[in-house]
Amino acid sequence: MKKTIVAAFILLASFTASAQVNTDRVMMIGKNALYFEDYVLSIQYFNQVITAKPYLADPYYFRAVAKFMLDDFKGAEEDATDCLVRNPYYTAAYQLRGAARQNQEKYEEAATDYQRSLEFYPEDRLTLVNMGIVNIEMKQYDIAGKFFDVLLRRFPDYTPGYLARSHMYIQMEDTTEAMADLNMAIEKDPYTAQSFAARGLLYFQQKDYNSSLADMDEAIRLDPYFEGNYINRGLVKYHLNDLRGAMADYDRVIEMDENNLIARFNRGLLRAQVADNNRAIRDFDKVIELDPENTIAYLNRAMLHNEIGDKAGALSDLNVVLGEHPDFFTGYYMRSQLKRELNDLRGAEQDYMLARAEESKARKVATVDPEPFKQAKERSESKDTREQTDRDIEKFNLLVVADKGESENTKYQRQSRGRVQNISAPIEPEPRFVLTYYERDIEVRRPVYYSDRMDQANSELALTWLLKMTNRDAPLNEFQVQTHFRSIDNYSARIDRQPDDASLYFGRGMDFMLIQDYENALKDMRRAIGLDPNLLVAHFAWAAIRSKQIEYDRLQSEPLMMDRNIGIDLPGAAGSGVAGKSRLPEISAKSVEYDEILREYETVLRLDPNFMYAYYNRAEIFTLEKDYRAAIADYTKAIELEPQFAEAYFNRGIARLSIGETREGLDDLRKAGELGIVQAYSIIKRMQ
């Protein structure tokens, strides 16, 4: 399906832009990468074409397609606009920009783009379908219906048209017409899994579980790799009291994707129902690990902890729930009982009084508007379900239904291919830059940053290996370790003969750093600085090594804290602390340890005010000290010096998100993604 979408966009482009398409090898490689879903790599190739020939429309269009497939809809809209500035008759760009705007809920603007496209191609099926969908979103059902009528009159065998119109009828609560369209879609094309899945869900909503099961079975037979159908079939089996069959479907999903939240949650509920408490707890552990703000999972785990006698664990989980839902009186009753069992009688009494007060408030509200409470009672007495986005704590015992967008199977294990925005990337900044001789390979090429200071150092210091500046330094293998031990011996012998040569101390200091001997590395760098106070790379190396040493020392003092997370706090972001995820300890503002590193970077910048890496690394220190404004200022200066500085854009984006500048932060992350930092797209998707 994804290849079909990309191929459609490429084909549409060829109708209107064939005069501008050239045979340039870079452009062709970019299109090949795009077709084979290597979106991030394709962006890098289109960047090269845009840099060389910024007047061409094609590279902007195809880069927009790649960004669209990565869910960077704003970036796709901007690139499509740039394409249309260069060629206002580029029909495919109107369609693409319309789709990008539609995904940003800019429905009126999307409709304008689709209408413009229809002026060129009035019978384009894809555009007619999208015009119908946009009008459904604006609740203009009469207009949407007219577009579907035109579409299906012209293309009576076009299955997506029937599926889209059935969705419109479901929105209008006309299940009879919706069922008729789904029946027609299946009659026209009995080999499309989506049609059977949609009809199966409609049967499910009508409580015709046997018919629903038959359709779900057929959908899975036609497309055995779409996880959402297994999840929904599990729900159907649950309603048919086939708990073993439901469990088997969730097991199947987790075999395909061990991080599938819905399958983990639903399996946890089913295991709890059959008193398989310990394994149910493990499922909820995984849910909370993947979604630390899922208070419904905390509540279920609290009850399970209580069942197995882990009162402290249950209390801890309930504290999280009540912290997020202070009006959840049932939770206060539960916590009161727990505290009583733990002999905290005073706390138990306080929680009991809080529960009574909140329950009293709820009863007063219920007398004014009893309908929601009546519905809640009916839900508790039935086998109802909830959407994944529904975080109503009162629905804690309901299974989750999967929609068509959930659980898309990741096709590649490579972390830079396919829909990389679906990878659960941690929200943590790009690491500091260091001087080294070895650099890790990276799948997505990033811009190369030129520094005349690095050229000067390599020419003047006469080191054995080429000195590199990178934030992707590679660990040494056994052969390299032995090589650098021998190099230290060689440098030591030369220092005995030439004790006043700063470059020798610098070279030996680099060797000590590479074999993780930070103390001797710092001593040698300080000796090099003493002999040559203007040796900029020695000042920079000392600061970077000292940062490594502090980080290492802190990890040694806190052996359980293994995550490299320096305390970026994003509102609503995974890993922001609800689940107690490991992180480096907070440091006091302006600590002495970091002050000495800051002084070294100030010295570097006094020697060379244009040394961008010093601004970048100093910004990391400011971030550690929670001085986000200062960090943003330094990242901005680094970007001024190097406009393609991908890592600075990425880190500035995270810093801006940390202080609530969401729009600016997302813009920085989009630029970082464009320049090759893959995990930016995951964060963009989550923050949007």
Side-chain angles (χ1 to χ4, degrees):
M1 181 62 183
K2 291 182 289 185
K3 284 188 179 181
T4 303
I5 294 171
V6 175
F9 279 131
I10 294 174
L11 183 62
L12 286 165
S14 67
F15 291 152
T16 57
S18 58
Q20 289 189 5
V21 174
N22 57 61
T23 55
D24 179 86
R25 184 168 180 76
V26 175
M27 190 71 187
M28 290 304 298
I29 295 172
K31 288 182 182 179
N32 287 338
L34 181 63
Y35 180 78
F36 288 106
E37 303 174 22
D38 210 341
Y39 306 125
V40 176
L41 179 62
S42 71
I43 288 174
Q44 309 310 305
Y45 286 119
F46 299 136
N47 288 345
Q48 294 178 38
V49 179
I50 288 169
T51 301
K53 297 182 178 180
Y55 51 84
L56 292 178
D58 271 357
Y60 285 100
Y61 171 78
F62 288 107
R63 191 172 72 176
V65 173
K67 290 181 179 180
F68 182 90
M69 300 307 290
L70 290 167
D71 289 352
D72 180 7
F73 302 121
K74 184 179 179 184
E77 179 188 358
E78 291 169 352
D79 274 353
T81 300
D82 285 336
C83 171
L84 290 167
V85 167
R86 288 155 178 80
N87 182 358
Y89 301 103
Y90 207 121
T91 310
Y94 286 108
Q95 296 175 335
L96 179 58
R97 189 172 68 178
R101 287 172 167 173
Q102 182 177 341
N103 279 280
Q104 297 176 77
E105 300 183 4
K106 299 178 180 178
Y107 299 124
E108 291 185 4
E109 294 174 67
T112 301
D113 276 340
Y114 291 141
Q115 189 61 53
R116 179 67 170 152
S117 174
L118 288 172
E119 291 174 10
F120 293 98
Y121 294 100
E123 294 186 344
D124 181 73
R125 296 186 304 183
L126 182 63
T127 308
L128 287 168
V129 166
N130 282 334
M131 277 295 278
I133 294 171
V134 165
N135 281 286
I136 291 172
E137 296 292 349
M138 294 190 288
K139 301 190 184 306
Q140 297 175 355
Y141 300 121
D142 290 341
I143 298 174
K146 290 176 182 177
F147 279 107
F148 289 130
D149 289 343
V150 171
L151 171 68
L152 295 173
R153 188 166 54 248
R154 177 65 183 85
F155 304 101
D157 295 330
Y158 188 51
T159 302
Y162 292 105
L163 290 173
R165 191 169 67 178
S166 73
H167 175 69
M168 179 188 76
Y169 286 130
I170 290 171
Q171 295 295 309
M172 297 169 65
E173 299 184 355
D174 186 347
T175 55
T176 302
E177 290 294 338
M179 186 65 76
D181 271 345
L182 290 172
N183 289 337
M184 183 61 73
I186 291 170
E187 179 184 328
K188 298 289 184 183
D189 181 6
Y191 304 106
T192 299
Q194 186 181 353
S195 302
F196 286 99
R199 193 174 70 176
L201 276 178
L202 188 54
Y203 278 133
F204 177 77
Q205 292 164 9
Q206 295 175 339
K207 303 188 186 308
D208 184 354
Y209 300 125
N210 288 310
S211 297
S212 178
L213 180 60
D215 275 351
M216 289 297 178
D217 285 343
E218 183 64 13
I220 288 171
R221 187 186 71 81
L222 292 169
D223 183 3
Y225 301 108
F226 180 61
E227 297 157 13
N229 290 338
Y230 288 98
I231 290 171
N232 289 338
R233 189 174 70 175
L235 290 172
V236 175
K237 290 178 177 178
Y238 170 73
H239 282 77
L240 289 169
N241 292 318
D242 180 9
L243 296 187
R244 187 183 298 274
M247 196 86 74
D249 275 341
Y250 297 135
D251 289 342
R252 173 65 174 147
V253 174
I254 293 166
E255 284 176 14
M256 293 191 287
D257 176 13
E258 65 176 358
N259 294 330
N260 187 291
L261 275 171
I262 298 178
R264 286 279 184 183
F265 184 93
N266 286 359
R267 191 174 72 174
L269 282 182
L270 291 185
R271 283 176 166 175
Q273 286 191 26
V274 298
D276 190 358
N277 295 329
N278 287 307
R279 292 208 296 171
I281 287 172
R282 288 201 291 273
D283 273 336
F284 286 118
D285 287 343
K286 190 66 175 178
V287 172
I288 290 167
E289 177 190 331
L290 297 168
D291 183 8
E293 294 187 348
N294 193 329
T295 51
I296 296 178
Y298 277 100
L299 180 57
N300 280 284
R301 192 173 70 174
M303 292 187 290
L304 288 164
H305 278 310
N306 187 43
E307 285 289 327
I308 65 172
D310 182 4
K311 307 297 181 183
L315 183 62
S316 175
D317 282 345
L318 274 177
N319 289 339
V320 173
V321 173
L322 293 172
E324 291 295 316
H325 302 279
D327 57 347
F328 182 45
F329 63 82
T330 304
Y332 287 113
Y333 280 126
M334 293 169 63
R335 194 169 70 177
S336 173
Q337 181 62 30
L338 273 174
K339 288 181 177 179
R340 193 174 303 280
E341 293 173 5
L342 290 168
N343 292 322
D344 180 6
L345 300 182
R346 183 176 179 182
E349 184 65 22
Q350 289 175 343
D351 276 347
Y352 183 78
M353 297 307 295
L354 274 172
R356 291 287 300 273
E358 292 297 335
E359 187 177 19
S360 177
K361 289 180 190 176
R363 289 185 185 279
K364 288 179 182 178
V365 173
T367 58
V368 177
D369 183 13
E371 188 60 28
F373 296 88
K374 181 181 177 183
Q375 293 174 0
K377 184 179 180 182
E378 290 173 354
R379 279 198 307 268
S380 67
E381 296 172 352
S382 70
K383 291 182 174 181
D384 207 344
T385 59
R386 68 177 176 88
E387 299 288 338
Q388 188 179 21
T389 54
D390 186 350
R391 296 301 178 95
D392 184 351
I393 195 68
E394 300 286 352
K395 301 178 183 178
F396 66 90
N397 60 340
L398 300 185
L399 294 175
V400 183
V401 64
D403 64 28
K404 64 183 179 181
E406 288 298 332
S407 310
E408 184 169 3
N409 196 27
T410 303
K411 195 167 184 179
Y412 302 105
Q413 291 186 356
R414 285 180 57 184
Q415 300 294 288
S416 64
R417 299 198 67 175
R419 298 174 69 85
V420 296
Q421 74 276 20
N422 292 335
I423 297 169
S424 183
I427 300 180
E428 56 187 35
E430 281 284 301
R432 72 183 70 88
F433 277 78
V434 297
L435 289 165
T436 184
Y437 304 130
Y438 308 102
E439 188 175 28
R440 279 184 288 114
D441 290 333
I442 190 166
E443 291 177 9
V444 180
R445 189 183 64 81
R446 298 181 187 175
V448 177
Y449 315 127
Y450 174 75
S451 170
D452 55 358
R453 282 285 184 172
M454 292 300 297
D455 280 353
Q456 180 184 350
N458 276 309
S459 62
E460 293 180 357
L461 293 174
L463 300 168
T464 307
W465 297 274
L466 183 68
L467 195 62
K468 298 177 181 178
M469 183 73 76
T470 184
N471 71 337
R472 302 185 303 278
D473 49 322
L476 274 60
N477 58 39
E478 185 177 352
F479 173 78
Q480 290 166 335
V481 169
Q482 296 303 320
T483 299
H484 286 284
F485 272 117
R486 289 195 297 271
S487 178
I488 288 170
D489 292 338
N490 291 336
Y491 272 120
S492 297
R494 293 175 63 188
I495 287 170
D496 288 340
R497 298 191 298 270
Q498 300 169 268
D500 297 326
D501 191 336
S503 66
L504 297 179
Y505 286 102
F506 179 86
R508 191 173 68 175
M510 288 294 300
D511 287 329
F512 278 126
M513 181 202 72
L514 289 166
I515 64 169
Q516 310 297 321
D517 186 348
Y518 295 137
E519 185 174 347
N520 279 320
L522 291 171
K523 289 178 181 177
D524 272 352
M525 291 301 172
R526 188 56 72 195
R527 288 170 184 151
I529 291 168
L531 292 169
D532 184 357
N534 294 325
L535 187 57
L536 180 145
V537 289
H539 287 284
F540 186 90
W542 188 95
I545 295 167
R546 180 65 180 130
S547 291
K548 278 177 171 276
Q549 185 184 49
I550 292 172
E551 184 175 320
Y552 177 78
D553 289 343
R554 289 186 185 279
L555 286 171
Q556 287 295 100
S557 65
E558 299 287 342
L560 296 179
M561 297 186 177
M562 300 302 292
D563 286 358
R564 187 194 172 279
N565 187 324
I566 62 174
I568 296 291
D569 293 313
L570 301 184
S576 60
V578 177
K581 287 197 68 160
S582 306
R583 65 193 327 161
L584 291 181
E586 301 287 338
I587 64 171
S588 59
K590 308 300 180 188
S591 69
V592 174
E593 291 172 325
Y594 285 91
D595 269 350
E596 57 184 356
I597 297 173
L598 289 173
R599 284 196 295 271
E600 285 300 321
Y601 287 131
E602 288 165 5
T603 301
V604 171
L605 293 171
R606 188 171 64 250
L607 293 171
D608 184 357
N610 294 325
F611 197 67
M612 57 188 169
Y613 301 109
Y615 289 106
Y616 178 96
N617 280 11
R618 189 171 69 174
E620 181 203 34
I621 305 300
F622 289 139
T623 302
L624 282 163
E625 296 180 332
K626 307 290 185 183
D627 191 352
Y628 296 119
R629 296 286 181 188
I632 290 168
D634 268 357
Y635 286 131
T636 301
K637 182 62 178 177
I639 290 167
E640 289 174 3
L641 294 169
E642 174 48 76
Q644 301 294 303
F645 204 156
E647 294 84 357
Y649 278 109
F650 183 84
N651 287 3
R652 188 175 71 174
I654 292 180
R656 282 176 162 170
L657 292 178
S658 299
I659 59 174
E661 293 180 359
T662 305
R663 182 175 60 83
E664 296 84 352
L666 289 175
D667 284 344
D668 277 342
L669 291 175
R670 290 187 183 96
K671 185 64 176 177
E674 177 184 308
L675 293 171
I677 299 185
V678 175
Q679 61 268 34
Y681 291 106
S682 169
I683 299 172
I684 290 169
K685 180 174 181 178
R686 286 146 68 186
M687 294 304 295
Q688 286 179 154

